[in-house]
Amino acid sequence: MSLLTLASLTLLAALIALWWQSDQVKRRALQLVRQRCSQLNLQLLDQTMVLRGLWPGRDSQGVLRMRRRYEFEFTSTGQTRHTGLLVLVGAIVQSLELEPHPIPEERQNLH
């Protein structure tokens, strides 16, 4: 096996590992957002989250981790869409922000 082949296989393995880890973090992020929406009686729309940013950052212990920023849409009334933002450092929530949204007088379950 040549050195070039070995380097190519190593790079391919690293890319697959990065993709797998990113997919696991995205699944965790979606689970966290679903839980938060359920707690607030909001409906997560499209059941999707879009990665809007990926950069290195330090966690609370100073360890270098990947910082991911996800955007998602939700509704409180079933009529209008609102945007939410979730920032994770590693797999830990740094922030979860929801756009201002109306709170219906009669809280009905939207799920």
Side-chain angles (χ1 to χ4, degrees):
M1 187 179 290
S2 72
L3 188 58
L4 180 60
T5 303
L6 185 59
S8 298
L9 289 175
T10 302
L11 179 62
L12 179 62
L15 290 173
I16 290 171
L18 178 64
W19 173 81
W20 183 81
Q21 181 192 30
S22 294
D23 186 58
Q24 295 299 317
V25 171
K26 186 174 182 178
R27 287 176 193 229
R28 168 124 170 87
L30 186 56
Q31 177 188 22
L32 291 167
V33 168
R34 281 184 185 141
Q35 288 173 352
R36 187 67 176 150
C37 285
S38 179
Q39 290 169 351
L40 297 174
N41 200 27
L42 302 172
Q43 182 180 7
L44 177 62
L45 298 174
D46 306 325
Q47 300 297 310
T48 59
M49 301 190 52
V50 178
L51 182 65
R52 293 292 184 198
L54 176 67
W55 64 97
R58 300 215 180 259
D59 65 13
S60 59
Q61 287 80 33
V63 177
L64 191 61
R65 306 265 185 213
M66 290 308 293
R67 180 175 304 217
R68 292 171 173 87
R69 186 170 53 114
Y70 292 101
E71 204 172 88
F72 58 94
E73 290 186 328
F74 67 95
T75 185
S76 60
T77 62
Q79 297 174 346
T80 57
R81 290 179 174 259
H82 302 281
T83 303
L85 181 69
L86 173 68
V87 178
L88 297 173
V89 178
I92 306 298
V93 175
Q94 184 178 34
S95 66
L96 179 79
E97 301 172 11
L98 301 173
E99 221 176 50
H101 56 278
I103 300 173
E105 285 184 33
E106 185 179 306
R107 294 301 293 202
Q108 54 185 340
N109 195 352
L110 296 175
H111 308 249

